[in-house]
């Protein structure tokens, strides 16, 4: 018998909890996503996260620790070279990334790439800069509709994004162009983690709205992960949010796209009501995409409070043979300069109704302890060349 029949791991995308020793090497000095958000807000109403020990793990303004947390908690350091979504998630599932993905935040994409993209797709490119997705639609949407030129842009992530109007350009044509962009950006000098199709609707400035038909074209992981190991042994591996895209579908048995982080939690709650056997892996992206990159600590804080409400709905559904793990993939301090992710430690909060103990665990040197713990629980071997040591024996 496995210790837990179901494990649910929720990634609160970008909810870092303070700088690592090497954070200054990444340009991040004194960063603390969660701490600074709570400081700006003057506190947060997060009773369920408090019960799980978040305020015991990290000192928070006007959010006191509790005497007897429900489970175990510690901080995790990132051992990979990077601070982006794919690096963090791949490490969570056992892969150490030593070569960071390419970013084009400061310069835009090279003329040679843009020229080849135009020739292969048959569409002129406009934009080619780092920008907010909603802002660049307002800036260039009307020109795009009038001329058929593709809006191409990037961000602080390793991404190439193509933004086109569903009604005038066509969704399938957008996907075709993104597939070409993905092929081109497999070259080492242009290699980005993801190409993203960003469709929108509307006819003029002020009316434009992005749709839920976004599609990510991610690099395949360079090796097998814990997800592959679980799937190969017949366990359910359920993806919620952008997990499937991050792993390019590798090791996933069922996937649910989310329209928001609240929707992602509603999907997770529905999944918890089913009798799956295995692993449910959830990413809640709004913390990062809507608030971190836009340097909005108030919006970020309110998003955390919304999550806490949904967490309160999930906790009573957990059975004695369920394990819940809450974590993050990097930081994105909304009080820091620029719009980039921040290199930070992340939380590890673990709870099961069957636990008889609680309290702090030692800080861990890699996110990969999560994948190793999951593999250990289900009795599957860690794939070749993966990292991480199980914490399962500590979760009593």
């Amino acid at each position: 018998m496995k210790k837990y029949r179901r494990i649910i791991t929720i990634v609160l995308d970008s909810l870092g909890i303070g700088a690592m020793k090497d954070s200054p090497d990444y340009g991040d000095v004194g960063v603390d996503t969660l701490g600074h958000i709570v400081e700006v807000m003057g506190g947060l109403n997060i009773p369920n996260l408090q019960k799980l020990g978040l305020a015991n793990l990290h000192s928070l303004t006007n959010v006191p620790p509790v005497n007897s947390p429900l489970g175990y908690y510690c901080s995790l350091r990132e051992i990979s070279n990077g601070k982006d979504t794919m690096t963090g998630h791949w490490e969570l599932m056992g892969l150490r990334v030593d070569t960071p993905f390419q970013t084009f935040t400061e310069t835009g994409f090279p003329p040679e790439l843009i020229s080849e993209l135009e020739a292969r797709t048959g569409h002129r490119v406009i934009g080619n800069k780092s920008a907010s997705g909603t802002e660049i639609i307002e800036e260039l949407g009307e020109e795009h509709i009038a001329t058929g030129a593709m809006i191409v842009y990037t961000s602080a992530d390793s991404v190439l994004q193509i933004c086109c109007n569903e009604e005038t350009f066509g969704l399938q044509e957008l996907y075709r162009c993104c597939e070409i962009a993905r092929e081109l950006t497999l070259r080492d000098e242009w290699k980005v983690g993801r190409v993203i199709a960003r469709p929108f609707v509307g006819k003029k400035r002020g009316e434009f709205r992005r749709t839920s038909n976004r599609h990510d074209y991610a690099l395949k992981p360079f090796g097998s992960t814990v997800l592959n190991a679980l799937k190969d042994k017949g366990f359910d591996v359920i993806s919620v949010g952008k997990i499937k895209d991050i792993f390019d579908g590798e090791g996933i048995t069922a996937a649910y796209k989310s329209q928001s982080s609240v929707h992602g939690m509603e999907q997770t709650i529905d999944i918890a009501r089913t009798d799956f056997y295995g692993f449910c892996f959830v990413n809640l992206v709004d913390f990062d995409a809507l608030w971190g990159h836009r340097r909005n600590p108030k919006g970020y804080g309110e998003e955390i409070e919304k999550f806490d409400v949904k967490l309160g709905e999930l906790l009573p559904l957990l059975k004695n043979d369920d394990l819940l793990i809450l974590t993050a993939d990097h930081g994105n301090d909304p009080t820091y300069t620029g719009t980039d992710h921040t290199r930070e430690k992340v939380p590890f909060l673990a709870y099961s109704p069957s636990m008889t103990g609680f309290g702090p665990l030692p800080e861990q040197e890699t996110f990969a302890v999560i994948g190793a713990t999951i593999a250990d629980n289900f009795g599957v071997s860690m794939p070749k060349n993966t990292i991480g040591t199980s914490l399962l024996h500590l979760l009593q």
Side-chain angles (χ1 to χ4, degrees):
M1 291 292 292
K2 309 299 182 282
K3 184 169 184 178
Y4 299 109
R5 179 178 173 83
R6 309 189 303 179
I7 298 180
I8 300 172
T9 295
I10 301 175
V11 179
L12 284 69
D13 200 308
S14 84
L15 193 69
I17 57 170
M20 292 170 43
K21 286 184 179 179
D22 67 358
S23 294
D25 297 340
Y26 293 78
D28 302 326
V29 178
V31 290
D32 183 352
T33 299
L34 177 61
H36 289 156
I37 289 167
V38 179
E39 187 177 322
V40 169
M41 296 286 285
L44 284 179
N45 182 24
I46 49 172
N48 295 299
L49 284 166
Q50 279 177 274
K51 287 192 295 186
L52 292 180
L54 183 61
N56 298 68
L57 171 61
H58 191 56
S59 179
L60 301 175
T61 303
N62 295 326
V63 182
V66 296
N67 291 328
S68 300
L70 291 179
Y72 294 90
Y73 52 87
C74 67
S75 57
L76 309 179
R77 300 194 299 270
E78 185 167 16
I79 201 170
S80 294
N81 187 359
K83 54 178 180 177
D84 61 86
T85 297
M86 288 177 63
T87 300
H89 281 79
W90 286 10
E91 183 171 322
L92 283 166
M93 292 298 111
L95 295 181
R96 176 173 177 162
V97 180
D98 291 318
T99 303
F101 298 108
Q102 295 271 18
T103 58
F104 297 92
T105 312
E106 303 300 326
T107 61
F109 298 102
E112 297 82 5
L113 170 55
I114 295 299
S115 177
E116 193 159 349
L117 182 61
E118 290 178 328
R120 291 277 303 277
T121 62
H123 298 285
R124 185 169 63 91
V125 165
I126 55 177
N128 190 25
K129 60 182 180 180
S130 178
S132 156
T134 52
E135 291 174 0
I136 204 165
I137 295 172
E138 288 298 298
E139 177 189 350
L140 298 176
E142 290 181 354
E143 180 182 352
H144 156 71
I145 292 171
T147 65
M150 300 185 298
I151 303 172
V152 174
Y153 66 106
T154 187
S155 69
D157 278 322
S158 178
V159 294
L160 184 153
Q161 305 187 77
I162 302 180
C163 180
C164 296
N165 187 286
E166 283 188 14
E167 299 158 317
T168 60
F169 193 85
L171 195 58
Q172 295 309 313
E173 179 64 5
L174 171 58
Y175 292 163
R176 182 187 75 86
C177 294
C178 286
E179 289 167 4
I180 292 170
R182 177 67 281 178
E183 180 186 339
L184 294 175
T185 55
L186 291 176
R187 300 181 192 175
D188 287 342
E189 66 270 27
W190 298 338
K191 188 173 287 186
V192 295
R194 285 175 293 159
V195 171
I196 306 177
R198 289 285 199 174
F200 70 98
V201 293
K203 297 180 179 178
K204 63 182 180 180
R205 190 175 289 114
E207 296 180 355
F208 296 135
R209 177 179 56 81
R210 292 199 292 193
T211 76
S212 60
N213 290 318
R214 162 182 171 162
H215 187 73
D216 291 41
Y217 300 80
L219 291 175
K220 284 195 179 296
F222 56 79
S224 292
T225 72
V226 172
L227 303 181
N228 299 105
L230 292 170
K231 181 180 178 182
D232 290 348
K233 290 297 184 180
F235 292 101
D236 295 319
V237 184
I238 303 170
S239 154
V240 177
K242 64 180 184 178
I243 295 294
K244 182 182 178 181
D245 292 330
I246 293 168
F247 291 88
D248 198 32
E250 289 291 307
I252 305 297
T253 63
Y256 298 85
K257 292 179 67 174
S258 305
Q259 298 172 0
S260 66
S261 288
V262 169
H263 181 226
M265 280 301 293
E266 290 170 347
Q267 292 171 309
T268 305
I269 289 165
D270 287 341
I271 291 166
R273 292 190 172 104
T274 69
D275 189 32
F276 75 90
Y277 185 18
F279 180 42
C280 178
F281 198 8
V282 181
N283 175 277
L284 305 178
V285 72
D286 287 353
F287 303 100
D288 185 55
L290 295 185
W291 315 117
H293 286 303
R294 298 181 187 181
R295 295 302 188 248
N296 186 336
K298 184 175 184 292
Y300 203 138
E302 291 171 348
E303 192 74 47
I304 296 171
E305 291 181 330
K306 292 177 186 176
F307 167 76
D308 194 84
V309 172
K310 291 299 177 183
L311 178 61
E313 297 175 21
L314 174 63
L315 290 174
L317 299 176
L318 299 180
K319 304 172 184 177
N320 282 342
D321 56 356
D322 290 339
L323 175 65
L324 174 67
I325 299 173
L326 304 183
T327 191
D329 54 341
H330 51 72
N332 199 348
D333 189 337
T335 70
Y336 203 57
T337 57
T339 60
D340 197 359
H341 295 151
T342 45
R343 174 86 168 176
E344 296 184 46
K345 296 179 286 188
V346 302
F348 171 87
L349 305 176
Y351 165 68
S352 172
S354 62
M355 285 178 176
T356 56
F358 62 86
L361 301 177
E363 183 171 289
Q364 302 295 312
E365 67 173 8
T366 171
F367 297 175
V369 296
I370 290 181
T373 300
I374 293 164
D376 185 18
N377 177 77
F378 291 109
V380 303
S381 299
M382 291 287 287
K384 185 179 179 181
N385 297 323
T386 52
I387 61 172
T389 303
S390 174
L391 303 180
L392 189 65
H393 63 288
L394 300 177
L395 306 180
Q396 301 299 323

